[in-house]
Amino acid sequence: MIGYLTFGLLGLLGLSIPVGIVLFLLGFGIDAFFSPFPLTKGLGNLVWSTSDNATLIAIPFFVLLGEVLVRSGLATRTYAALDRWVSWMPGGLVHANIATATMFSATSGSSVATAATVATVAMPQAEKLGYDPKLFSGAIAAGGTLGIMIPPSINLIVYGFLTQTSIPRLFLAGLVPGIALALGFILVTALICMARPSLGGPRRVFPLAEMLRALTELIPIILLFTIIIGSIYKGWATPTEAAAVGVAGAIAIAAMFGGVSLSMMAEAIVGTVKITSMIMLVVIGASFLNFTLASAGIGRELQDFLNGLGLSPLSFMLVIVLVYIVLGFFIETLSLMVVTIPIIVPLVVQQGYDPIWFGILMIVLIEMALITPPVGLNLYVVQGARKSGKMSEVMLGTLPYIGAMLLMVAALIAFPQIALFLPDALQ
Amino acid sequence: EDLSVVGSWSSLPLHNQFEAPFWTETLPAASNGTINVAMTTHNQMNLGVGDVFRLLGDGVYDVGMTVADYAVADAPELEGLDVPLLAMNATDARAMVDAARPMVEDIFNARFNSHVLAIAPYPPQVVFCNGEVNSLDDLAGKKVRGSGRMTTLFLEALGAEGVNVAFSEVPGALQKGVVDCAITGAGSGYSAGWWEVSTHLLPIPLGGWDSVVTAINLDKWNSLNAETQALIAGEVSAQFEDPAWDAAQGALDNDIACLTGNGTCTSGDARSMTLVAVSDADFAKAREVLVSKVLPDWAERAGADWAKRWNDSVGQVVGVAIGG
Amino acid sequence: MELTILDRLRRLNRIIAILVGVLLLGCAAFVLADIVLRQVGSSFGGTDEISGYVMAIATSWGMAYALTELGHVRIDILRSRAAQRGRAVFDLVAMLALSGTITLIAIKGWPVLARSLANSSRANTPLETPLAMVQAPWLAGWIWFALTSWVVFTVALVLIARGKFSEADAVAGTYGELDALK
Ligand code: NA
Ligand code: NA
């Protein structure tokens, strides 16, 4: 069955059939070949119960929030302000890409939205100032992945929803690893550009007065972050409700500091509907496939296989990490999470690992999957924002950052407290 | 005979201690290998809880089990199986469920095309409060997390406000005062660490007993020969239902001991929540609310025929009559 | 002719998308109002129940718009390497798989609504929402998605049969993952 799934997935994806539909087709195949029961009869109920879901409404809300920030011009101004502060380092404007991505991650629940936001505002600068296109675009693709680690995060909401773990605890657990990764990206960039200054473009030092003036441009985004996260930790709103707070906050802040018009809002909402539908077709397909897999006993098959290996908890975890790295090359990340969580997480907990900690480890691996070819959405988002150049340049540019992510995986396994101490301390 | 079986929540003791061993070991062994079982659970399949019996009726799998209360959207009359506060201990709860059994069978035949094999208990749904609560009266004006329509309506009739919070968010909500109290099984509250964020425990089934119905698709059931039917019915009753009920009171006493330190706790460290004794006067008042408000509302939702059947069966056992 | 049909379909779906977006905005406003009300000790109650229904209906009705905007993510590693005719075959296969699957979802969605009608099912909540009232618009969205996808498939087939490959590409091709996300 595992063989059927692997080849079926690659074959159908290769045919360029929409990803969500591929998941349904695989589910129909499992029903026809591996299950004696008429699973497809349950299709309608599955589709209804998957989409009748108050938790998932955070997805359109966070997407809309990002759309409003970009279309109101707030994103561009944030980028320019951060440029004043970080471009003195070796690597110059590349650091502004990472810093902007980190900043937007704190208001956006999605990595793809974060990368798209930063790429839209940053790309025009690369050619003008003569940066190495590889490193410059790689930093955006990798920095964008922080969107799902630094709270809020759609993927952590989905993880908490599927594993019955506390979403605010997951958010707290993601904060330190997220910031550590951002600093790691900055360090990697600086080291590379010290070794090969030609990659980094000009370092630019701005007068202090200008730097201080730039700070005021950061007020809107910090305000928005405070509203969203504050509403969760003050106990006013649940993490899903906080997404609604974020939408309202973004519109209000955009109206105050940028510009909001009826036509701009129309574009923002149709864009939101398009992206939400795209994501939901994948989520619903994954949920149907998961239903057929559970009925056909894949959990048992995998459990028997892993138990048969007789691994220690550590080697077991390393196998899991390896599995996610390999699957991450080929599978869209939200589907990867939805399909594997119900099978993998119980096994991991059974081995004595903390489910909150594992959620964070999984997010690092999912971040990696977002920038590994052939299926790495952030690569395509960044490439899409460039006017010229080859896809492979973006891929090469992300390699140093993938190295930083692997170090983070190792650090999380060696020191689980990196993720756990904050939620434990505030409990 | 191959049976595909969908169990209830995979993390809870009812599944791990009773359901899973019964279906995967006891029954196949008792049939001398003529019955083969493939088992998963509804949460592992990512099913909506309201879909479990719908899909069972459609024949997607052969046997399904989940909390009856999850299915009341399709069958409001099923709410009468598990009325809060009518049964204070496992013996009374079982008597109540046994009295309701013929009604439940008819409901499952008509609404879900299936035959009831067993009704087993989850631990009773008790009340955890963060803040001093000394009587049922003290719940008035408090925000209480409950689930299910009858429980929420009952809370509202007591003057409390029903708030919907996901199970995993309850500790945070209790701590920050989003809710003052929350209802769940004593064992679930113990293992999920609710004692860290709440101070007082009302050990009364304000959320009922959350009866878990095990049912088999009716077409499948009718296709089995009489011996197989007898074998399954007998084994389910003797090896699953009886042991689950026998363990229920002990488990409840143990869980309360673990939460409050009153008694012996065998599941881990005992905690020190304040055990609130609910007075007889409190009960009388709660029953009055139940009889005057909550049950008549239900009778209206379910229809007069069901209310009459309920009065003649469950009502007799617990000494309550709707509209009387 | 076929392009006129498609153009009308696109414009209609854009209007639907705006309505769906307004529904989502309304839901956000409703949630926000409830948060504020809770601070003053009151509440509408049932916001999460209503958010769930909004999500189900918004999702099903937004699907067709995403399709006409080529928004459903496709992996075009092999497709982008094929010649023009080869790409046309990829697109027809993808559209056929999509139309067939969505049609099946629409067909299997009917029993869900039918059972809620037959049982007069009401949500297990204090609101007692009649489930048919929210499942009917949800199912209608999937039926609309199925119809839209068959129209798109037919238009692409006609264009390809007439050798108008670049027009067909604009109807049923891919923007690649990149534009799907913008
Ligand atoms: Na984020
Ligand atoms: Na990848």
Coordinates of all heavy atoms in Angstrom, one line a residue, chain B residues 114-146:
Chain B
S114 N -29.4 0.7 12.0 CA -28.4 -0.1 12.7 C -29.0 -0.7 14.0 O -30.1 -0.2 14.5 CB -27.1 0.6 13.0 OG -27.4 1.9 13.6
H115 N -28.4 -1.7 14.5 CA -28.9 -2.5 15.7 C -27.9 -2.2 16.9 O -26.7 -2.3 16.7 CB -28.9 -3.9 15.3 CG -29.0 -4.9 16.5 ND1 -30.1 -5.0 17.3 CD2 -28.1 -5.7 17.0 CE1 -29.9 -5.9 18.2 NE2 -28.7 -6.3 18.1
V116 N -28.5 -1.9 18.0 CA -27.6 -1.6 19.2 C -27.1 -2.8 19.8 O -27.8 -3.8 20.1 CB -28.4 -0.8 20.2 CG1 -27.6 -0.5 21.5 CG2 -28.9 0.5 19.6
L117 N -25.7 -2.9 20.0 CA -25.1 -4.1 20.6 C -24.8 -3.8 22.1 O -24.9 -4.7 22.9 CB -23.8 -4.4 19.9 CG -23.9 -5.0 18.5 CD1 -22.5 -5.1 17.9 CD2 -24.6 -6.3 18.5
A118 N -24.5 -2.6 22.4 CA -24.1 -2.3 23.8 C -24.2 -0.8 24.1 O -24.1 0.0 23.2 CB -22.6 -2.8 24.1
I119 N -24.4 -0.5 25.4 CA -24.3 0.9 25.8 C -23.4 0.9 27.0 O -23.7 0.3 28.1 CB -25.7 1.5 26.2 CG1 -26.7 1.4 25.0 CG2 -25.5 3.0 26.5 CD1 -28.0 1.9 25.3
A120 N -22.2 1.6 26.9 CA -21.2 1.5 28.0 C -21.0 3.0 28.4 O -21.3 3.9 27.7 CB -19.9 0.9 27.5
P121 N -20.5 3.2 29.6 CA -20.4 4.6 30.1 C -19.0 5.1 29.9 O -18.0 4.4 30.0 CB -20.6 4.4 31.6 CG -20.0 3.0 31.9 CD -20.2 2.2 30.7
Y122 N -18.9 6.4 29.6 CA -17.7 7.2 29.8 C -17.8 7.6 31.3 O -18.9 7.6 31.9 CB -17.6 8.4 28.9 CG -16.8 8.2 27.7 CD1 -17.2 9.0 26.5 CD2 -15.8 7.3 27.6 CE1 -16.5 8.8 25.3 CE2 -15.1 7.2 26.4 CZ -15.4 7.9 25.3 OH -14.7 7.7 24.1
P123 N -16.7 8.0 31.9 CA -16.9 8.5 33.3 C -17.8 9.7 33.3 O -17.9 10.4 32.3 CB -15.5 9.0 33.7 CG -14.6 8.3 32.7 CD -15.3 8.1 31.5
P124 N -18.6 9.9 34.4 CA -19.5 11.0 34.4 C -18.8 12.3 34.3 O -17.7 12.5 34.6 CB -20.2 10.9 35.8 CG -19.2 10.1 36.6 CD -18.5 9.2 35.7
Q125 N -19.6 13.3 33.7 CA -19.0 14.6 33.3 C -19.2 15.5 34.5 O -20.3 16.0 34.8 CB -19.8 15.1 32.1 CG -19.8 14.1 30.9 CD -18.4 14.1 30.3 OE1 -17.9 15.1 29.8 NE2 -17.8 12.9 30.3
V126 N -18.1 15.7 35.2 CA -18.1 16.5 36.5 C -17.6 17.9 36.2 O -17.2 18.3 35.2 CB -17.3 15.8 37.6 CG1 -17.9 14.5 37.9 CG2 -15.9 15.7 37.2
V127 N -17.7 18.8 37.3 CA -17.4 20.2 37.1 C -16.1 20.6 37.8 O -15.9 20.4 39.0 CB -18.6 21.0 37.7 CG1 -18.5 22.5 37.4 CG2 -19.9 20.5 37.3
F128 N -15.2 21.2 37.0 CA -14.0 21.8 37.6 C -14.2 23.3 37.6 O -14.5 23.9 36.6 CB -12.8 21.5 36.6 CG -12.4 20.1 36.6 CD1 -13.3 19.1 35.9 CD2 -11.2 19.6 37.1 CE1 -12.9 17.8 35.8 CE2 -10.9 18.3 37.0 CZ -11.7 17.4 36.4
C129 N -13.9 23.9 38.7 CA -14.0 25.4 38.8 C -12.7 26.0 39.3 O -12.0 25.5 40.2 CB -15.1 25.8 39.8 SG -16.8 25.5 39.1
N130 N -12.3 27.2 38.7 CA -11.2 27.9 39.2 C -11.8 29.1 40.0 O -12.2 30.1 39.4 CB -10.4 28.5 38.0 CG -9.1 29.1 38.4 OD1 -8.7 28.9 39.5 ND2 -8.5 29.9 37.5
G131 N -11.8 28.9 41.3 CA -12.5 29.9 42.2 C -13.4 29.2 43.1 O -13.8 28.0 42.8
E132 N -13.8 29.9 44.1 CA -14.6 29.2 45.2 C -16.0 28.9 44.7 O -16.7 29.8 44.3 CB -14.6 30.0 46.5 CG -15.1 29.2 47.6 CD -14.7 29.9 49.0 OE1 -13.8 30.7 49.0 OE2 -15.4 29.6 49.9
V133 N -16.4 27.7 44.8 CA -17.8 27.3 44.5 C -18.2 26.3 45.5 O -17.5 25.3 45.7 CB -17.9 26.6 43.1 CG1 -19.2 26.0 42.9 CG2 -17.6 27.7 42.0
N134 N -19.2 26.6 46.3 CA -19.6 25.7 47.4 C -20.9 25.0 47.2 O -21.3 24.1 48.0 CB -19.6 26.4 48.7 CG -18.1 26.8 49.0 OD1 -17.2 26.0 48.9 ND2 -18.0 28.1 49.4
S135 N -21.7 25.4 46.2 CA -23.0 24.8 46.0 C -23.4 25.0 44.5 O -22.7 25.8 43.8 CB -24.0 25.4 46.9 OG -24.2 26.8 46.5
L136 N -24.4 24.3 44.1 CA -24.9 24.5 42.7 C -25.3 25.9 42.5 O -25.1 26.5 41.4 CB -26.1 23.5 42.5 CG -25.7 22.2 41.9 CD1 -27.0 21.4 41.7 CD2 -25.0 22.3 40.6
D137 N -25.9 26.5 43.5 CA -26.3 27.9 43.4 C -25.2 28.9 43.0 O -25.4 29.8 42.3 CB -26.8 28.4 44.8 CG -28.4 28.3 44.8 OD1 -28.9 28.0 43.8 OD2 -28.9 28.5 45.9
D138 N -24.0 28.5 43.5 CA -22.8 29.4 43.2 C -22.5 29.4 41.7 O -21.7 30.2 41.2 CB -21.6 28.9 43.9 CG -21.7 29.2 45.4 OD1 -22.7 29.9 45.8 OD2 -20.9 28.7 46.2
L139 N -23.0 28.4 40.9 CA -22.7 28.4 39.5 C -23.5 29.6 38.8 O -23.1 30.0 37.7 CB -23.2 27.1 38.8 CG -22.3 25.9 39.2 CD1 -22.8 24.7 38.5 CD2 -20.8 26.1 38.7
A140 N -24.5 30.1 39.4 CA -25.3 31.2 38.7 C -24.4 32.3 38.4 O -23.5 32.7 39.3 CB -26.4 31.6 39.7
G141 N -24.4 32.9 37.2 CA -23.6 34.0 36.9 C -22.2 33.6 36.4 O -21.5 34.5 36.0
K142 N -21.9 32.3 36.5 CA -20.5 31.9 36.1 C -20.5 31.5 34.6 O -21.6 31.1 34.1 CB -20.1 30.8 37.0 CG -19.9 31.1 38.4 CD -18.4 30.9 38.8 CE -18.1 31.2 40.2 NZ -18.7 32.3 40.9
K143 N -19.4 31.7 34.0 CA -19.2 31.2 32.6 C -18.7 29.7 32.7 O -17.7 29.4 33.3 CB -18.2 32.0 31.8 CG -18.8 33.4 31.5 CD -17.8 34.3 30.8 CE -16.9 34.9 31.9 NZ -16.0 35.9 31.4
V144 N -19.5 28.8 32.1 CA -19.2 27.4 32.3 C -19.0 26.7 30.9 O -19.9 26.9 30.0 CB -20.3 26.6 33.0 CG1 -19.9 25.2 33.3 CG2 -20.5 27.3 34.4
R145 N -17.9 26.0 30.7 CA -17.7 25.3 29.4 C -18.4 24.0 29.5 O -18.1 23.2 30.4 CB -16.2 25.1 29.2 CG -15.9 24.3 27.9 CD -15.6 22.9 28.2 NE -15.2 22.2 27.0 CZ -15.0 20.9 26.8 NH1 -15.3 20.1 27.8 NH2 -14.6 20.4 25.7
G146 N -19.4 23.8 28.7 CA -20.1 22.5 28.6 C -20.2 22.1 27.2 O -19.9 22.9 26.3

